[in-house]
Amino acid sequence: MTTSTPVHHRTSSTAQAAAAGLTVFAAVMLMIAGIMGFIRGLMAVLEDDVFLTTRDYVFQFDLTSWGWIHLILGVVAIGVSAGLFVAMAWARVLGVIIAGLLMLANFLSIPYYPFWSLTLIAVNGFIIWGLCVVRREDV
């Protein structure tokens, strides 16, 4: 009968530095996306004339409703990014969820501001990547 000894995995300082760097990257990008989402929502709620409207689009919603959705998601994203700066575990999970919701909101609001929506979809994809690629024990 053989006994096995527990194997302790030791993370290198390089892996920890990379994990911290990716978490800070995701936090900064999420804060920027949140601020931009908030400003975009504010413009929509105030019925600014910068938005393009496309007729006969499958996902057609009221611009004011989208404005409130972007405002709320922007505020939540800013709060979650603050949690990421202090490396809270809940913030990583909520960061992925909020970035996914921001991606969905930007996809559905493509007819109002197409180029900006596609740009923010890509930014939120990088946020999700930055939060998911880091292992829990490296943070």
Side-chain angles (χ1 to χ4, degrees):
M1 180 165 166
T2 61
T3 60
S4 62
T5 58
V7 177
H8 297 286
H9 295 286
R10 184 177 169 158
T11 57
S12 67
S13 62
T14 306
Q16 289 175 340
L22 281 173
T23 304
V24 170
F25 166 78
V28 169
M29 294 301 285
L30 188 61
M31 181 165 288
I32 290 170
I35 291 170
M36 290 181 184
F38 178 80
I39 291 171
R40 182 180 184 185
L42 193 61
M43 289 186 324
V45 168
L46 297 176
E47 297 181 9
D48 201 351
D49 292 331
V50 298
F51 291 98
L52 172 73
T53 54
T54 305
R55 295 181 340 163
D56 300 326
Y57 188 68
V58 175
F59 304 110
Q60 214 166 21
F61 298 101
D62 181 38
L63 185 60
T64 305
S65 301
W66 278 116
W68 282 108
I69 290 170
H70 283 283
L71 269 171
I72 292 167
L73 286 174
V75 168
V76 172
I78 292 168
V80 170
S81 69
L84 285 171
F85 280 120
V86 292
M88 302 300 286
W90 59 266
R92 288 184 60 192
V93 174
L94 278 179
V96 171
I97 292 169
I98 291 300
L101 289 174
L102 284 169
M103 284 177 89
L104 181 64
N106 282 299
F107 172 74
L108 293 175
S109 64
I110 284 176
Y112 302 111
Y113 217 170
F115 181 73
W116 191 245
S117 294
L118 294 174
T119 303
L120 285 179
I121 288 170
V123 166
N124 288 309
F126 281 120
I127 293 167
I128 292 172
W129 172 79
L131 292 174
C132 289
V133 74
V134 177
R135 295 182 308 183
R136 172 183 266 171
E137 58 269 4
D138 288 339
V139 176

